[in-house]
Structures are given as structure tokens and as C-alpha cells.
Amino acid sequence: MVKHFIDIADFSAEQLKGIIADAKAIKARPDDFNEVLKGKKIAMIFEKPSTRTRISFEVGIIELGGSPIVLSAADMQLGHGETVADTAKVLSRFVDCIMIRANSHDTVLELAANATIPVINALTDRSHPCQIMADILSFEEHKGDMAGKHIAWFGDGNNVTASWIEAAAKFDFKLTIASPEELDPDADILQAAIAAGGDIKIERDPNKAAKDADCVVTDCWVSMGDKDAVNRHNLLAPYQVDQNVMKLAHKDAIFMHCLPAHRGEEVVPEVIDGPQSVVFDGAENRLHAQKAIMKYLFD
Ligand code: CP
Ligand code: NVA
């Protein structure tokens, strides 16, 4: 049975916690894991831009002993009419794994359905599971076990929110989402996570959402591929993370952001560049978390 890494909801809590435990071990002793991908070739396909994902995967593959092949979809026949299914079948003959950042989540699902090798979701319009595995690692390094903690999400109910929602049901933390109604997270993902036991609430009042939070997290107001930026800015302005929001959270709360950030929009410089911010630890942890994900896929 080929393993894929497409969404947090596809895994048991034990599997996800096992990947986080491996990420901690890999971060502590990277040299013990330098043959995990020995002889393996990993294709990395990008339909959208990337800094962290591209570099952390490429470095991670090299450090695990494998060989990355970085591909822009625009330079492949995939970007010029070849089907996703044919691409999956052809790549399966050449490489051992495909990582893809895709415009549409369906592309990742179709790739996985037609590939005979593992497929990794490196962000779609629906979700960003690799990001959330790194965020869990970062949170636990700073604040201890996720279980029972309170995460307050501020802003757009986007792909990153969706993966936080799925994680809440697996790692037993409380998630409060402060978003305007027009930009609520995907209702199906939310309902499924609540049905799976997730303690997740939508809170329109940003002052109430931050109360007692152990972590305040946000993301850009206009994701790659989003339209209508002006309207989004107007809707999201009340959900900016500023010093007042951080004061309402626990006094030792941390601030997280997947980056890239837009200072003065979703977060003020005083917060993202202030003492509670762990955003660069978070960026580094993409490397360690994704190495553990790839180890899981080939174990
Ligand atoms: N956080 C994240 O996925 O960053 P990139 O878009 O730079 O890969
Ligand atoms: N929500 C953002 C995340 C970027 C890493 C986007 O999809 O553009």
C-alpha cells in the first residue's frame, strides 16, 4: 500500500504524534538519519511560488541522503495540457516520491490516485498540512504538549486555517477562529473536525477570541490565487494582530505566522518582530517536520 501525505485528517492521532516525535529526534540528531532517503529521487513540482517549502524540502531531501528534482509546472507539459494522471504515471517510472504545491487540491488527489509512489501535499487552495506539522513542533518546543492548550487563529479562514482545524481534532487542543463571516473556513472541513471531537469555535469578536490563548496565529489576508484583495482587506482589518490582541492572550503566549508576512496588514511589526514571536523558529521547523514526514512515507 503506497503511503501519501495529503491532509492531516487522513491520519490517526498516533501516526501524527509519531511524526512529531521523529521530527524532534531528527532535529536533535540529524546525522543519525542521513540514509533515510538513500538512493531515492524526489520530484518537487511547483504551480505557485515558494521560499520556505522549496528550500526546506530540497535541503531536507539532501540531508536524508536523497536527490531532489525541482520542477516548475509551467516548464513541464503538465502546465501545457498534459493530464495530471499521465504526469503521475510517467513520474512514477522515474522517481520515488512526488511533492507538489498545486493551485487546486483536486490536482494532488488525482496525482495520488494515479501514482504508484508517495505524493506529498506542499500546499493547495484547500490545505497546508506540512505547515501545520511544523507549527505543532514549534508550539511544543516553546509551550509543551499541545493537549489542552488554546490556539487563537486570527484572519482569513484559508488553507492554513483548514489544516489547523484538522489538527485540533488530532492533538486535542482548543481552537478559536476569529474571522469575518464572509471569509469563514471551509464548512465541510470544520464540521468534519468537530464531528471527530475537535474543540473548535468561531468567534466574531477578536477581543474575545484572544482571551486565554497560549498562541495567537495568523496568515496573509490575500492568499496565492485569491481575488478581490480590496474587499478582503476591508473585511479583515478588525482581525489584525496587534499589541492589544497579544495583551488579551496569556502573558507568555507566543505569536506564530507561516510566512510570508505583510507587516501592517495581518500583523503589526511590534508583534511579529517582538519578543513573543517565534516565526523564524517556525520557518526552520519546516525542515525538521518534513524530514519526519518523508521518513514516515518510506518506513
Ligand atoms: N509558509 C510557506 O509555505 O512558505 P513558502 O510559500 O515560502 O513556501
Ligand atoms: N495562505 C497562504 C499561505 C502561504 C504559505 C497562501 O496560500 O498563499
Side-chain angles (χ1 to χ4, degrees):
M1 189 54 185
V2 181
K3 294 192 218 166
H4 301 294
F5 190 81
I6 297 181
D7 271 313
I8 300 282
D10 302 338
F11 298 91
S12 68
E14 288 64 35
Q15 285 170 321
L16 296 166
K17 287 175 188 169
I19 294 172
I20 295 294
D22 271 349
K24 290 175 183 169
I26 290 169
K27 184 171 182 176
R29 302 185 311 280
D31 292 347
D32 291 359
F33 299 87
N34 57 14
E35 296 202 343
V36 166
L37 292 183
K38 192 174 174 190
K40 303 258 189 275
K41 293 163 281 291
I42 319 273
M44 300 166 54
I45 304 175
F46 289 91
E47 289 186 345
K48 305 189 196 197
S50 168
T51 296
R52 281 142 290 270
T53 304
R54 169 170 173 176
I55 299 168
S56 58
F57 262 106
E58 191 165 356
V59 169
I61 292 163
I62 293 167
E63 288 183 359
L64 293 176
S67 304
I69 301 169
V70 183
L71 301 156
S72 157
D75 296 333
M76 298 171 70
Q77 300 295 6
L78 177 64
H80 300 273
E82 186 164 19
T83 66
V84 174
D86 286 357
T87 304
K89 288 171 193 167
V90 171
L91 263 64
S92 296
R93 302 287 179 112
F94 291 128
V95 300
D96 301 282
C97 178
I98 305 169
M99 183 236 80
I100 180 162
R101 167 165 286 194
N103 292 314
S104 162
H105 198 71
D106 288 345
T107 300
V108 178
L109 298 178
E110 207 180 330
L111 203 57
N114 288 281
T116 55
I117 54 176
V119 170
I120 301 171
N121 170 7
L123 182 146
T124 67
D125 56 341
R126 181 186 190 274
S127 58
H128 197 2
C130 294
Q131 178 66 51
I132 268 44
M133 293 302 279
D135 288 345
I136 302 280
L137 176 60
S138 307
F139 181 90
E140 292 201 338
E141 283 178 349
H142 286 276
K143 305 293 298 173
D145 200 298
M146 290 292 318
K149 300 293 197 309
H150 180 201
I151 309 293
W153 172 273
F154 272 64
D156 187 22
N158 64 14
N159 46 2
V160 178
T161 329
S163 293
W164 270 110
I165 289 170
E166 293 188 345
K170 304 290 178 182
F171 289 90
D172 295 322
F173 57 87
K174 175 177 159 188
L175 178 64
T176 303
I177 298 163
S179 62
E181 199 174 345
E182 295 84 342
L183 298 173
D184 267 347
D186 183 292
D188 292 341
I189 293 174
L190 182 62
Q191 286 321 315
I194 291 171
D199 180 2
I200 309 162
K201 247 191 20 210
I202 303 229
E203 174 57 71
R204 301 285 171 225
D205 181 346
N207 294 322
K208 288 189 187 151
K211 199 168 169 319
D212 294 332
D214 298 292
C215 170
V216 176
V217 56
T218 188
D219 185 13
C220 61
W221 286 348
V222 184
S223 284
M224 294 178 275
D226 277 344
K227 308 214 160 42
D228 203 10
V230 174
N231 187 38
R232 289 176 154 273
H233 278 240
N234 291 335
L235 292 169
L236 287 160
Y239 298 93
Q240 182 187 61
V241 178
D242 59 12
Q243 296 98 318
N244 181 48
V245 169
M246 294 309 292
K247 274 199 200 102
L248 293 164
H250 273 311
K251 72 170 181 351
D252 57 354
I254 55 172
F255 170 76
M256 301 214 287
H257 188 311
C258 63
L259 305 178
H262 307 77
R263 287 167 176 78
E265 295 183 15
E266 72 271 12
V267 61
V268 299
E270 291 79 0
V271 170
I272 191 167
D273 301 316
Q276 287 166 286
S277 174
V278 300
V279 297
F280 298 110
D281 291 344
E284 178 191 328
N285 280 335
R286 296 292 303 280
L287 171 69
H288 312 297
Q290 288 156 192
K291 285 167 85 174
I293 290 167
M294 291 187 280
K295 177 177 178 297
Y296 163 81
L297 293 175
F298 287 101
D299 263 351

